[in-house]
Amino acid sequence: MIVYIEKKAKNYQVAKAIIKKFNPKIIEINHYKDIFNRSHQDYNYQKSQNRLILAVKESSFLYKGSFFCDNRGYKNFYYSTQILGCVYNCEYCYIGGMYPCGYPVIFVNEDDFLNEASKLKNSFIAISYESDLLAFEGIYPFHKKWINLAKKNSDLLIESRTKSANTKLLPPNPPKNFLLTFSLSPIEINRFEKKAPNLIKRIEAIKVAINKGYNIEIAIDPIIKIDNFKKVYKAFIEALKKENILNLPIQIGSFRMNKDFLKKLKKVHLSEIVYYPYQIKNNQARYKDEKEIIEYI
């Protein structure tokens, strides 16, 4: 493993714990953007490399949530960017069109994010918005303090959305206002979800989380329109029925993306998903028959 680390990040607990655990080759840098924001980077090559960037975020620890996402009925909807980028490389993910670099950035000053969140009232906070936070749980226990924050602030709903199978690493008995949302896809879609656990492993992870007392939801989102779409998703839903997890709350949404992110994503993935002839309206790329797709599911 190679770790690029800002000089000012070296003395934070998160940085010390990661370095102690992995004993990586360390390259000191002045600012994470010196690596992360360079032009002409090979995103897919970087995804194949075992490298991290450790940095200190100096401001803007929470952002207002996007209208692309469900605010769960909360007027106050925020998201945290404690990590930029993901260990996975899903071909339909907007992150590939958002960031020029395939190396994840971990901001080590976690208490600044938590302190900002603790000031909020009656709010929904998504902590796994531009990453998959649970996928990094084997690197550092990021969820522990967020779960404790939820325990202390019952008027906050804190959600971690994931494809990860790392639920065995989570602490038991979280409060009900801490939510784990699992993105599930048919096995036929897993080929577009590079490096992510397959459907079987995600279902196993859900069962582990349920036994630990977690509040669980399922997200069939994004729905991807592939050949034999109806047959594929019918079999997928029948499989979920057999696993007895369709009694959980379910979110449903079809593929949609900012058109500029999609344009950039075409430079990253030669994929049938990104080159599909979407309808572009109000700067959004969506299926023309989105309503029918969602109604079918």
Side-chain angles (χ1 to χ4, degrees), residues 223-239:
I223 301 164
I224 303 296
K225 190 178 179 182
I226 59 172
D227 291 340
N228 298 317
F229 152 77
K230 290 187 175 182
K231 181 179 179 181
V232 165
Y233 275 86
K234 181 177 176 60
F236 164 60
I237 291 169
E238 290 296 332

Side-chain angles (χ1 to χ4, degrees), residues 44 89-93 189 191-194 224 226 255 262 265-278:
N44 284 312
N89 191 16
C90 300
E91 294 179 12
Y92 55 73
C93 182
I189 301 296
R191 64 190 171 97
F192 301 113
E193 299 172 332
K194 296 174 183 175
I224 303 296
I226 59 172
F255 177 91
L262 182 62
L265 200 58
K266 289 178 179 179
K267 298 177 182 179
V268 176
H269 298 301
L270 291 174
S271 169
E272 63 188 82
I273 296 177
V274 295
Y275 281 93
Y276 186 90
Y278 299 101

Side-chain angles (χ1 to χ4, degrees), residues 8-282:
K8 60 190 174 186
K10 292 166 60 177
N11 291 324
Y12 283 85
Q13 172 59 29
V14 176
K16 288 180 178 179
I18 291 172
I19 290 169
K20 181 179 179 180
K21 183 171 185 176
F22 295 99
N23 191 28
K25 177 182 178 182
I26 295 173
I27 300 175
E28 288 192 6
I29 57 177
N30 290 319
H31 198 279
Y32 79 91
K33 290 183 179 179
D34 296 340
I35 301 295
F36 195 70
N37 283 17
R38 290 177 301 150
S39 58
H40 306 296
Q41 300 191 67
D42 189 332
Y43 187 88
N44 284 312
Y45 170 78
Q46 290 170 334
K47 281 291 185 181
S48 71
Q49 302 301 296
N50 195 17
R51 302 190 181 193
L52 291 173
I53 303 171
L54 303 183
V56 176
K57 197 164 195 334
E58 296 172 343
S59 62
S60 301
F61 303 107
L62 295 174
Y63 297 90
K64 276 284 191 180
S66 167
F67 65 90
F68 276 98
C69 299
D70 182 7
N71 65 4
R72 298 184 174 275
Y74 282 81
K75 183 179 179 181
N76 301 314
F77 168 30
Y78 298 89
Y79 67 94
S80 164
T81 55
Q82 193 172 353
I83 298 178
L84 304 180
C86 187
V87 296
Y88 307 141
N89 191 16
C90 300
E91 294 179 12
Y92 55 73
C93 182
Y94 68 94
I95 289 176
M98 175 182 283
Y99 298 134
C101 183
Y103 303 146
V105 178
I106 296 176
F107 292 116
V108 297
N109 51 323
E110 64 174 344
D111 288 340
D112 290 328
F113 292 87
L114 290 151
N115 289 338
E116 192 73 15
S118 68
K119 299 174 185 176
L120 299 177
K121 302 294 182 185
N122 300 311
S123 298
F124 168 46
I125 307 172
I127 62 172
S128 192
Y129 197 81
E130 293 181 6
S131 182
D132 187 321
L133 199 64
L134 187 56
F136 290 87
E137 200 73 5
I139 295 174
Y140 182 83
F142 290 101
H143 284 74
K144 182 178 179 181
K145 288 188 175 181
W146 285 106
I147 290 170
N148 287 338
L149 179 67
K151 286 180 181 178
K152 296 175 183 177
N153 296 271
S154 60
D155 62 334
L156 299 181
L157 175 62
I158 299 176
E159 180 199 39
S160 182
R161 185 160 174 164
T162 187
K163 295 185 177 80
S164 175
N166 278 342
T167 48
K168 60 185 179 295
L169 300 177
L170 291 173
N173 303 316
K176 290 301 180 185
N177 59 319
F178 185 89
L179 177 65
L180 271 180
T181 301
F182 282 85
S183 294
L184 300 183
S185 305
I187 291 174
E188 292 84 352
I189 301 296
N190 293 162
R191 64 190 171 97
F192 301 113
E193 299 172 332
K194 296 174 183 175
K195 301 179 76 175
N198 62 29
L199 175 62
I200 294 170
K201 290 181 179 178
R202 287 183 227 173
I203 290 173
E204 290 173 354
I206 289 173
K207 292 178 179 179
V208 169
I210 289 172
N211 288 334
K212 285 190 168 189
Y214 279 82
N215 184 12
I216 304 291
E217 290 195 5
I218 291 172
I220 303 176
D221 183 11
I223 301 164
I224 303 296
K225 190 178 179 182
I226 59 172
D227 291 340
N228 298 317
F229 152 77
K230 290 187 175 182
K231 181 179 179 181
V232 165
Y233 275 86
K234 181 177 176 60
F236 164 60
I237 291 169
E238 290 296 332
L240 297 185
K241 284 182 184 178
K242 290 179 182 178
E243 295 292 344
N244 295 317
I245 58 174
L246 284 187
N247 60 323
L248 298 168
I250 301 174
Q251 301 176 28
I252 298 174
S254 66
F255 177 91
R256 69 274 187 199
M257 188 177 293
N258 175 287
K259 71 178 182 64
D260 294 325
F261 290 165
L262 182 62
K263 182 179 179 180
K264 292 177 182 176
L265 200 58
K266 289 178 179 179
K267 298 177 182 179
V268 176
H269 298 301
L270 291 174
S271 169
E272 63 188 82
I273 296 177
V274 295
Y275 281 93
Y276 186 90
Y278 299 101
Q279 181 181 57
I280 306 297
K281 190 174 181 180
N282 298 323

